[in-house]
Amino acid sequence: MRAFPTSLAVLASATLLAGCATTAPPGVETSAVPTETPTPTVTWRSEAPVTLQVGKAVDLTQTRGLSKAVVTVESIQENATCPTGGATPKNGQFVVVKLSAQRTDNSEMFQLGVYDWGAVDNAGHRTPANAGLVTGLCLTDGSALKGAWDASGRAAGTLLLDVPTNPAALVATNTMATPNVTLTVEMPAR
């Protein structure tokens, strides 16, 4: 059997230990190992506020915290009534908002109807609109905004909102997103 010379054994041991060391030996310069920035798993197109206008389709697909769909406000009608008589406006008037959407992913639900809806006045004060309660009490004919997509990936329907007279805008906030995300629905010209 052939033996390693002592100098080679010492050199091999030193090399092995140097590879395990966390600091360089005195007099040896080291450079930092560059670290790669992790690639994000989702790229959102926008963190900016989203505004919907009557008759204009808006693609919300890559906007953080909003339904992955192309959404259109079909119409807005102020001074509406509750068809069933099951509720009266507490804030001033009922406003009917008709929406339609086409999904752009494979989600099962269209959640815009369950967002926290409200109205904003010209001073920026927000009034809750009780959309789910009022819509459920007043629209029992199947015209309420659907929460599920149909077979073609569409959802449509009506929300009935209890808002003050002459709101500056309607707002819908997704409180399930952190931080919350709000979209604004412009009121049509009066």
Side-chain angles (χ1 to χ4, degrees):
M1 175 172 188
R2 208 168 172 188
F4 280 122
T6 306
S7 61
L8 282 178
V10 171
L11 180 62
S13 297
T15 304
L16 181 62
L17 290 174
C20 296
T22 57
T23 59
V28 175
E29 288 185 33
T30 61
S31 61
V33 177
T35 58
E36 291 184 31
T37 304
T39 304
T41 56
V42 176
T43 302
W44 300 111
R45 178 178 57 215
S46 175
E47 290 286 332
V50 175
T51 301
L52 301 175
Q53 298 172 330
V54 174
K56 293 187 179 177
V58 176
D59 185 352
L60 305 178
T61 301
Q62 291 181 327
T63 304
R64 184 185 67 79
L66 297 179
S67 297
K68 305 301 177 241
V70 176
V71 177
T72 304
V73 177
E74 302 293 342
S75 65
I76 296 176
Q77 175 197 345
E78 294 189 79
N79 299 309
T81 59
C82 172
T84 65
T88 57
K90 305 281 189 259
N91 296 320
Q93 70 170 325
F94 285 135
V95 172
V96 171
V97 179
K98 292 187 178 185
L99 296 165
S100 65
Q102 176 69 50
R103 76 174 171 198
T104 58
D105 67 356
N106 59 357
S107 65
E108 293 181 15
M109 301 299 293
F110 179 55
Q111 298 177 340
L112 195 60
V114 298
Y115 289 178
D116 286 348
W117 282 83
V120 178
D121 63 18
N122 288 324
H125 175 73
R126 181 179 174 146
T127 303
N130 300 323
L133 177 64
V134 174
T135 300
L137 288 172
C138 295
L139 302 179
T140 58
D141 61 353
S143 63
L145 182 62
K146 309 298 182 265
W149 301 106
D150 67 15
S152 68
R154 293 190 50 78
T158 302
L159 290 173
L160 192 63
L161 309 176
D162 182 357
V163 303
T165 305
N166 297 322
L170 303 173
V171 290
T173 302
N174 180 359
T175 59
M176 296 175 277
T178 304
N180 295 345
V181 177
T182 298
L183 63 85
T184 302
V185 178
E186 288 185 358
M187 294 299 294
R190 294 182 177 100

